[in-house]
Amino acid sequence: MKHLAAVLALTLLAAPAWAGGETPSSPDARVYFANLTDGDTVSSPVTVVFGLSGMGVAPSGTEKENTGHHHLLIDRPPLGEGEDGADELSNGIPADDNHLHFGGGQTEVTLDLSPGQHTLQLVLGDYGHVPHSTPVVSDVISITVE
């Protein structure tokens, strides 16, 4: 029995943590692309409409239960993966060309994307741009821009 407990403890320590910051999310929350699906072919400029159910949208800095604001990850590994994955889960989502913030509570954006394939993922962040505990993320989709 001691060995089983030790193996379980080591397994838990070795497993990647899939937890965000301290702000809880609603267990029913879901974020999704309202107008795009995986494999779509589109023309630039591309309008991306953000969908959210089970929680509400509030501007960054607004600390209100069951709310957050959108972030769009473009052409990068899924949230929590890649070089800065662990940091973005607990410390907040960076702001750069691959991490777009919609802290004003926006629910769509029109982007000029270069021709070719692009990956997109939506992430809901709390009042301080940190993913919730349990993170609310969309599937990563790939689109082709003609």
Side-chain angles (χ1 to χ4, degrees):
M1 192 66 167
K2 285 183 190 179
H3 293 295
L4 179 59
V7 169
L8 286 174
L10 286 174
T11 301
L12 290 174
L13 289 173
W18 182 243
E22 297 178 3
T23 305
S25 61
S26 168
D28 299 324
R30 188 172 82 88
V31 66
Y32 54 92
F33 294 97
N35 68 323
L36 296 172
T37 58
D38 190 44
D40 279 354
T41 298
V42 298
S43 298
S44 195
V46 180
T47 297
V48 182
V49 180
F50 316 146
L52 176 65
S53 64
M55 289 181 71
V57 174
S60 64
T62 303
E63 195 169 352
K64 183 177 178 188
E65 187 176 337
N66 288 322
T67 66
H69 64 279
H70 294 285
H71 298 83
L72 179 61
L73 280 49
I74 303 171
D75 295 335
R76 51 140 294 125
L79 179 75
E81 297 180 21
E83 185 178 322
D84 299 318
D87 285 342
E88 65 192 13
L89 277 171
S90 57
N91 298 326
I93 300 169
D96 58 32
D97 290 342
N98 301 101
H99 304 83
L100 303 184
H101 288 242
F102 299 93
Q106 303 94 315
T107 58
E108 70 178 59
V109 64
T110 299
L111 303 169
D112 286 315
L113 293 175
S114 61
Q117 190 168 1
H118 297 277
T119 61
L120 306 173
Q121 184 180 34
L122 287 170
V123 178
L124 197 67
D126 69 8
Y127 62 94
H129 305 283
V130 178
H132 292 78
S133 172
T134 303
V136 181
V137 299
S138 72
D139 290 334
V140 175
I141 66 168
S142 292
I143 61 170
T144 301
V145 177
E146 291 187 319

